[in-house]
Amino acid sequence: MVESDPPTKNKQDCDVKDERVLNGCGSKDLELGNLATLKDLNKIPVDVEKGPSGKADFEGAIELAGYGKFHYILLAVCGFVSTSEEMDVISMSFILPSAQCDLHLSTQSKGWLNSIIFIGMMAGAYVWGSVADTLGRKKVLIAISFMNALCIVASSFSQTYELFMLFRFLNGAALGGSGPVIWSYFAEFQPKSKRGSMLSFMAAFWTLGNLFVAGLAWLIIPTDIGFHHESFTYNSWRIFLLICAVPSFIVAALLFFLPESPKFLLSRGRSEEAIEIFRQIYRTNTGRDKDDYPVKQLILDDLPEKPITDTKKVIKGKYKIMLSDIIDNSKQLFITPILKFTLISITINFTFHIGYYGLMMWFPELFNRFDEYARTHANESASVCVVNSFVIEHGSKQDGGICNDNIESAVFMESLITVASAIPSNIIAVLFMDLLGRKFFLGAVLTRLFSVFSTVTSGLCAASMYFVYNKLHNLVVSAVFSSVISCGNAALDCLITEIFPTNLRATGVAVSMVAARLGGIIGNLVIANLLDTYCPAPTFIVAALLIGGGLLCLFLPNTTREPLS
């Protein structure tokens, strides 16, 4: 039970004479129960360190819980979730060159294999995000992680293209909820002074996922390990895929030891549970007894208009309530004033991810084609389009040509260099997202400029792909593209996560992620269909969309060092 207020005395110098409020001038007979609202208290702020009331809003409560060990453990686990998600998404780009003979892949079927996971993610993002806003973040994350791991294992044993596609779709359906839910979950534990830098720090784990998967691919896929039989093959790329499932099993287990988001609990009217979580965070961060935590009652800016009660559960049933909440949350995203932010975030995510996944998923394939051209044209320069023409007309892609799935180690090394180039950008984002934003206006401008600068620069890099003439040029442009677009990804994730209110956050981010996955699908299919037929088109289409979408970041509101709504 929450402790009652200690007796207080009216102060002689009190500036409020006629109203009983929580600024040190009231009395304990003002009964607020466990949860009060700032509306009822005329929006008078409370300082739990100065006053005897022991009441605070969410931002005050999370600040008084301290910042330390708990948040670093949370960062490690949530970051590992992002790492495993990116490993599962980007792993296909390393598998395609090696699996082309086993699964009889053409360029178009490779495009569909790259896209099928995004089709699954597009379906899963909305469903999981909506459920997370109803049932809670933690439960959904655990279910997602287990489902994801099992689907990866099943896909590694698949012997046909159709079965492999099915499990990749289910894999994507699980991954679709991971992004919106983990970002909402992590952000809701962060005080406003730390939120920007810590969200940027978590975005850096995507780069870590890219590094892990590129390193594993380099170590495993070129080797001749595995099992071969007339009816069953389990070779190196399948073993690589199996190992990529391990992080998802690990994070599913680790999430059991983390608490539910206190911000979510407050949005559902479950204040006693939220206070208990704050006490646990306080004990972990400070080493002191949790009973020493000074906040005894929590204040919300707005209470849920329709709090869920036991009576309502009995009448309507748990699942009817959940479905009703999902539909209601979705409707609210498309009603002013949220509508503007929803439309902008959808557009930005759509254009951004056409470029991000449209090119990133094809870099190993492009490196492999340059390597194939170099083997027969030593020391000769050639553009991307000339290289593609050679591979299609005279190389491994020609009709009736002999399939070759022996990929040189240099291809994986170049891919590793490309993803590693994003590390400096992630460090910049972590250091400066809040450091230069001590004045909230400057911080907001910086965050948005990160997005604008990164997307415009990555768009120029995409256009530059048309003008590369050898493997070195291709590697340099790819590395710069990876670096700047990773910086933009960190800033964009911060902006999109913070603009939605708590009761709509996971759903809002999920809807944005649906647009992002649609961008990934279209980007991969466009490149697959145009790369072999009209080579210049993909690079310039991607460039235009990245630049245009990036400029929309300027229309998003200031969120730096502002409380989560």
Side-chain angles (χ1 to χ4, degrees):
M1 296 294 293
V2 179
E3 298 178 16
S4 61
D5 293 338
T8 60
K9 295 180 180 181
N10 293 337
K11 294 184 179 181
Q12 297 299 323
D13 58 349
C14 177
D15 57 350
V16 181
K17 298 179 180 180
D18 300 324
E19 295 180 309
R20 292 178 176 180
V21 294
L22 299 176
N23 64 351
C25 308
S27 66
K28 70 174 182 177
D29 58 357
L30 178 61
E31 296 295 333
L32 295 175
N34 183 248
L35 188 65
T37 67
L38 283 174
K39 279 184 177 179
D40 297 334
L41 303 175
N42 298 320
K43 300 291 183 181
I44 297 175
V46 177
D47 189 335
V48 296
E49 294 182 300
K50 295 180 181 179
S53 66
K55 297 180 175 66
D57 61 6
F58 173 82
E59 293 294 340
I62 198 68
E63 288 282 356
L64 288 171
Y67 205 91
K69 183 179 178 181
F70 170 82
H71 291 89
Y72 301 134
I73 294 173
L74 181 74
L75 173 65
V77 176
C78 293
F80 202 19
V81 173
S82 290
T83 296
S84 63
E85 177 189 353
E86 181 66 0
M87 287 180 67
D88 298 338
V89 173
I90 211 72
S91 62
M92 183 53 61
S93 64
F94 296 98
I95 290 171
L96 291 181
S98 304
Q100 59 188 358
C101 298
D102 282 355
L103 302 178
H104 309 291
L105 302 178
S106 64
T107 303
Q108 285 70 33
S109 57
K110 288 179 180 179
W112 277 108
L113 265 181
N114 272 342
S115 298
I116 193 64
I117 192 168
F118 295 113
I119 296 173
M121 292 172 83
M122 190 169 63
Y126 173 75
V127 174
W128 288 115
S130 299
V131 172
D133 277 336
T134 303
L135 296 184
R137 320 308 197 201
K138 177 182 172 180
K139 292 178 182 177
V140 169
L141 284 171
I142 292 172
I144 286 170
S145 298
F146 270 121
M147 177 179 172
N148 179 46
L150 292 174
C151 289
I152 298 172
V153 172
S155 65
S156 74
F157 285 93
S158 301
Q159 300 294 303
T160 65
Y161 173 75
E162 292 76 17
L163 196 58
F164 192 79
M165 285 275 284
L166 172 62
F167 285 116
R168 286 296 288 179
F169 171 80
L170 295 175
N171 182 200
L175 286 176
S178 178
V181 179
I182 196 63
W183 281 91
S184 299
Y185 179 74
F186 183 73
E188 289 168 359
F189 282 98
Q190 306 303 316
K192 59 186 179 182
S193 60
K194 296 279 190 178
R195 196 168 59 241
S197 60
M198 294 307 288
L199 285 172
S200 299
F201 209 147
M202 201 175 86
F205 280 84
W206 277 61
T207 300
L208 191 61
N210 286 332
L211 285 172
F212 278 165
V213 78
L216 281 174
W218 189 10
L219 290 173
I220 298 173
I221 294 179
T223 62
D224 188 23
I225 58 175
F227 173 78
H228 300 274
H229 191 268
E230 289 183 4
S231 58
F232 183 81
T233 299
Y234 206 81
N235 47 10
S236 60
W237 68 265
R238 299 175 188 276
I239 294 173
F240 160 74
L241 194 58
L242 181 67
I243 295 175
C244 286
V246 173
S248 294
F249 281 117
I250 295 174
V251 296
L254 292 176
L255 285 165
F256 275 104
F257 299 98
L258 293 180
E260 181 56 88
S261 161
K263 187 75 171 175
F264 167 78
L265 293 173
L266 286 175
S267 74
R268 311 302 290 178
R270 296 156 62 182
S271 57
E272 290 188 7
E273 296 175 56
I275 287 180
E276 182 58 32
I277 289 172
F278 283 130
R279 289 172 175 166
Q280 294 172 8
I281 295 173
Y282 175 81
R283 179 178 60 187
T284 303
N285 285 339
T286 65
R288 299 170 63 180
D289 191 279
K290 66 179 182 179
D291 291 333
D292 293 339
Y293 181 61
V295 179
K296 309 303 178 185
Q297 293 183 0
L298 290 169
I299 301 169
L300 284 180
D301 291 315
D302 294 289
L303 284 170
E305 293 183 3
K306 297 179 181 179
I308 297 175
T309 63
D310 292 337
T311 302
K312 185 177 180 182
K313 286 184 179 179
V314 171
I315 295 173
K316 295 186 69 177
K318 180 179 179 180
Y319 295 105
K320 288 185 178 180
I321 294 173
M322 182 182 73
L323 182 60
S324 176
D325 286 344
I326 289 173
I327 295 173
D328 184 57
N329 287 348
S330 302
K331 288 180 179 178
Q332 289 183 55
L333 289 175
F334 295 94
I335 299 174
T336 55
I338 303 297
L339 175 63
K340 173 185 175 182
F341 306 142
T342 302
L343 294 179
I344 292 176
S345 65
I346 286 174
T347 305
I348 292 173
N349 267 296
F350 176 73
T351 56
F352 183 89
H353 287 85
I354 282 180
Y356 182 74
Y357 286 118
L359 285 183
M360 289 293 290
M361 297 286 281
W362 285 89
F363 279 150
E365 177 74 13
L366 290 175
F367 290 144
N368 190 45
R369 292 190 179 192
F370 264 100
D371 190 73
E372 182 177 340
Y373 182 86
R375 286 198 295 267
T376 56
H377 299 77
N379 301 320
E380 288 187 23
S381 297
S383 68
V384 172
C385 293
V386 170
V387 168
N388 281 325
S389 296
F390 168 78
V391 172
I392 295 166
E393 296 173 6
H394 308 288
S396 59
K397 304 299 178 184
Q398 65 178 308
D399 291 337
I402 298 174
C403 183
N404 181 13
D405 58 2
N406 293 322
I407 312 301
E408 297 292 332
S409 295
V411 171
F412 298 102
M413 182 189 68
E414 290 162 354
S415 299
L416 181 61
I417 293 172
T418 298
V419 298
S421 64
I423 294 176
S425 295
N426 288 129
I427 293 173
I428 291 172
V430 170
L431 292 178
F432 297 112
M433 198 68 73
D434 277 329
L435 184 61
L436 296 183
R438 295 193 183 280
K439 293 182 179 180
F440 73 91
F441 178 75
L442 291 179
V445 171
L446 180 69
T447 305
R448 283 178 284 185
L449 286 181
F450 264 141
S451 293
V452 175
F453 169 78
S454 300
T455 50
V456 170
T457 306
S458 58
L460 295 176
C461 287
S464 299
M465 293 292 292
Y466 179 70
F467 301 101
V468 301
Y469 284 95
N470 54 50
K471 289 178 63 175
L472 179 60
H473 292 168
N474 188 44
L475 179 60
V476 170
V477 172
S478 301
V480 174
F481 176 85
S482 174
S483 178
V484 293
I485 205 166
S486 294
C487 187
N489 189 46
L492 184 60
D493 284 336
C494 291
L495 287 170
I496 299 301
T497 301
E498 294 176 339
I499 61 175
F500 294 105
T502 300
N503 64 312
L504 301 176
R505 182 164 297 116
T507 306
V509 176
V511 169
S512 299
M513 289 295 182
V514 169
R517 305 319 176 198
L518 182 60
I521 294 166
I522 293 176
N524 275 287
L525 293 180
V526 166
I527 289 179
N529 284 281
L530 294 180
L531 190 62
D532 291 351
T533 56
Y534 190 67
C535 179
T539 56
F540 292 109
I541 291 174
V542 167
L545 290 173
L546 279 172
I547 293 171
L551 294 175
L552 284 176
C553 293
L554 295 173
F555 295 95
L556 289 175
N558 163 46
T559 57
T560 303
R561 294 182 179 273
E562 292 294 301
L564 284 176
S565 58

